[in-house]
Amino acid sequence: MVLCVNLRPAVAGLPPIFTQLQDRLALSSVDVTLLATIPVLCFGLFSPVAALTARRFGEERALGGALAAGAAGLLMRALLPGALLLAGTVVVSGAIAFMNVLLPSLIKRREPRRAGRLLSLYMVMLYTGAITSSAIVVPVYRSTHGSLAVTLGMSAVPMVVALLAWLPQLRYGTARRAASLPPGASQRLPRGHVRRHRLAWQVTAFMGLQSMTYYATLSFLPDLFLSRGLAPSQSGLVGSLLSVGGLVSAFGTPMIAHRSARAARLLMIATVVLCAAGISAALLAPVNAGLALMPLLGLGQGAGLALALYFVMARAATPAVAASLSALAQGVGYVVAALGPLAVGSLHALTGGWRAPVLVLLLATAAELVVGLLAARPHQVPAPGPAARYVAGEDGGRPTP
């Protein structure tokens, strides 16, 4: 749980102070777009590396290394923001990519019968970190008289705490990992095994599309509301309200989806409706009303992320397949997601308004519904050969022939 709380502060804590960073560090609009895009792009590029590292050293040790690297990246951009803001963001984003990929397969391997409950707790802590960072970053900046060292460096504290709490897990290595697998389930898969299955690409497409809309709105909704007259002191509220809504839906979504495929499909429809309504309200509703409706968008986004992570576990026949599916879904999915902030920022710069960016996000949400309903079907990416079925899904995670 203390590891999960570090999955978003490094990303969610930047958009509310984009304007201050521009003024203090002489950043251009291109630099700001890069700051919004780099984390998501790194999530995609580092995901395959995470899976390879875990195969060599074990998931627990790979996650310990990621926590150490994440703390280093946060300190880099805090101590030398003028020179290392972008580089530090790359380092910490790569570390978070490791955590994104390896935590779902870790849950499936070590606690398959409690996967829905643990994934719910995972999501609660993820959103707790996002809410806290986006809510306090502007007050901290002002109370420290514009100290970038404190404002950017405070995210390193929970990362170091998580590293210390994780140290006992380092004794779990590849040998224990192999012993934890069910009979016949190898921890190594033939190259390209997961990529040969259509279901894997449906899960990947859903991960990419829901992430694309999430990061695009997280990065640019504060600017949209500011352009419509919101007070600068309230810009941090946008991300916090999104995260509050996400916290509510993320907690229950995996447990409900765990019950049946029908429940997962109904959740999928509700997710898309809420996202479309929230994105539209940000542009069309009066400013205060639109701000008040942001928890609805957060509800949809939280449910979408929870479903994407749930599909990674439930649509994999073994923990080894789950690790490979997680790497594919997040590797390709987050590269697709990186197009969201880039497209929104470019369209806004080109048109000078927000109608075109919002239309693109609504189209992405519609596509999310199509691939999400396909991924919600109760099928699995199988393990090669006569491996046992080892599911953190509708059958409760029981190994069966």
Side-chain angles (χ1 to χ4, degrees), residues 267-316:
L267 282 171
M268 179 62 58
I269 295 170
T271 292
V272 171
V273 170
L274 287 169
C275 286
I279 292 170
S280 301
L283 178 67
L284 301 176
V287 174
N288 290 334
L291 189 64
L293 290 173
M294 285 305 95
L296 288 181
L297 176 56
L299 280 171
Q301 291 178 336
L305 178 58
L307 284 170
L309 294 174
Y310 168 76
F311 290 153
V312 166
M313 294 191 298
R315 302 300 172 246

Side-chain angles (χ1 to χ4, degrees), residues 193-283:
H193 170 75
V194 169
R195 294 196 297 272
R196 290 195 289 268
H197 294 272
R198 187 178 302 171
L199 177 59
W201 290 105
Q202 291 162 355
V203 172
T204 298
F206 180 69
M207 172 68 79
L209 288 168
Q210 67 84 23
S211 298
M212 183 172 73
T213 56
Y214 171 76
Y215 285 104
T217 53
L218 180 69
S219 298
F220 290 102
L221 275 186
D223 285 344
L224 188 158
F225 276 101
L226 287 172
S227 71
R228 299 190 63 209
L230 186 71
S233 60
Q234 294 181 295
S235 61
L237 283 176
V238 179
S240 295
L241 291 173
L242 289 175
S243 296
V244 167
L247 176 62
V248 173
S249 61
F251 178 72
T253 296
M255 290 187 287
I256 296 172
H258 194 77
R259 294 177 180 175
S260 69
R262 182 174 181 273
R265 289 193 295 270
L266 292 175
L267 282 171
M268 179 62 58
I269 295 170
T271 292
V272 171
V273 170
L274 287 169
C275 286
I279 292 170
S280 301
L283 178 67

